[in-house]
Amino acid sequence: MTGSVMSVNKEEISKTVLELERSFNERWSGGDNRGYLDNYAEEISYFDPVLKELIVGRDAVIAHIESLYSDPHIVRSEYLNPAVSVSDSGDSAVLAYNLNTYVLDDNGKERQLRGWNATEAYRLIDGEWRIVHSNWAFTQTAKDAIAS
């Protein structure tokens, strides 16, 4: 049997990655950051909009996040425009989506807390999908349309 290649179910991988991401984010929103932190691969690289530089390595990323994380009390999240690109080999996937988060104001009414552009690169490591790169950006930071 020559050229036998196991077929990759990109749709199933996309669904798995989306579900994982959503589960991590729901935990984060409810005051538990460990979903993300426990999933990060050892070699993770991380862009945070509050920093100029890239953070590399699981311990450094966890220390950074723990230094500024507190329960955000997010009551609702909107996951918009998700796109997943799965490698032909089926061992890596890049997820990009827009995330709107909502909290309650002093009158108990919902208000938007933030709008995010999120990109997560996942890789299958020892049978588990792990985040190897994470990039969080505010949805609008520039006032003018610029490319550089």
Side-chain angles (χ1 to χ4, degrees):
M1 200 179 218
T2 55
S4 177
V5 178
M6 194 175 95
S7 72
V8 172
N9 187 336
K10 292 185 178 187
E11 188 176 319
E12 189 62 34
I13 292 169
S14 295
K15 183 179 172 195
T16 298
V17 166
L18 279 165
E19 287 174 359
L20 265 178
E21 182 73 15
R22 189 177 187 122
S23 73
F24 298 153
N25 207 280
E26 294 299 320
R27 285 176 65 181
W28 177 281
S29 296
D32 175 11
N33 64 11
R34 296 311 305 189
Y36 278 115
L37 303 188
D38 291 346
N39 178 271
Y40 290 150
E42 287 299 324
E43 71 273 20
I44 186 170
S45 52
Y46 188 92
F47 274 122
D48 190 310
V50 302
L51 296 175
K52 287 183 179 178
E53 62 276 346
L54 175 70
I55 304 171
V56 178
R58 186 172 187 271
D59 292 344
V61 171
I62 288 174
H64 166 70
I65 291 172
E66 287 187 332
S67 76
L68 44 90
Y69 179 82
S70 62
D71 184 350
H73 302 287
I74 293 167
V75 295
R76 184 169 66 88
S77 297
E78 293 175 327
Y79 300 87
L80 306 171
N81 311 308
V84 183
S85 176
V86 178
S87 68
D88 289 341
S89 59
D91 63 354
S92 63
V94 176
L95 165 64
Y97 65 102
N98 303 110
L99 175 69
N100 291 333
T101 57
Y102 296 86
V103 294
L104 297 180
D105 66 15
D106 293 338
N107 299 316
K109 302 272 190 226
E110 238 183 49
R111 72 167 175 84
Q112 186 171 353
L113 177 64
R114 268 187 208 46
W116 296 97
N117 294 330
T119 306
E120 303 277 39
Y122 282 83
R123 188 165 56 228
L124 198 56
I125 300 172
D126 297 327
E128 292 187 49
W129 286 102
R130 300 275 186 180
I131 298 171
V132 294
H133 178 72
S134 185
N135 185 3
W136 290 87
F138 300 123
T139 53
Q140 277 199 277
T141 54
K143 301 220 187 295
D144 298 318
I146 53 173
S148 62

